[in-house]
Amino acid sequence: MSINRKELEEIASLAQLNIPEQQVNEITASLNQVMAMIEHINQADTAAVEPMSHPNDGHQITRQDVVTDHSHKSTLLALAAHADADHYLVPKVIE
């Protein structure tokens, strides 16, 4: 199957594209190359290939919703130059 000028103009109209006159032949040739590649792919024998929903046969691994990391708040606040029980204290820079 090849695409001619009329078909290119119809496709451009449907896609609401303005193709400059000087590029019509170039675009037609490019689309014909794409169509040739598609025809080549369609010739592949896929009779023995089973349909699949995804190329990787993976499955979702689930785990228990258990807390594995505990808070390090007190350790981190102890490293600050100024802090109270729950917050870092910083000097006021905007009045």
Side-chain angles (χ1 to χ4, degrees), residues 49-62:
V49 178
E50 293 183 32
M52 55 185 147
S53 61
H54 194 276
N56 297 330
D57 291 331
H59 62 280
Q60 183 68 32
I61 299 173
T62 58

Side-chain angles (χ1 to χ4, degrees), residues 4-6 8-9 12 17-29:
N4 59 32
R5 181 186 182 95
K6 182 181 176 197
L8 176 64
E9 290 171 354
L17 297 173
N18 292 325
I19 298 176
E21 185 65 33
Q22 61 271 19
Q23 291 183 336
V24 170
N25 291 335
E26 180 184 343
I27 293 172
T28 302

Side-chain angles (χ1 to χ4, degrees), residues 20-69:
E21 185 65 33
Q22 61 271 19
Q23 291 183 336
V24 170
N25 291 335
E26 180 184 343
I27 293 172
T28 302
S30 294
L31 287 175
N32 284 326
Q33 288 177 345
V34 171
M35 296 301 291
M37 285 189 285
I38 291 171
E39 287 179 23
H40 181 73
I41 291 170
N42 283 338
Q43 292 174 0
D45 182 21
T46 58
V49 178
E50 293 183 32
M52 55 185 147
S53 61
H54 194 276
N56 297 330
D57 291 331
H59 62 280
Q60 183 68 32
I61 299 173
T62 58
R63 62 173 174 78
Q64 295 270 334
D65 190 15
V66 179
V67 175
T68 57
D69 192 15

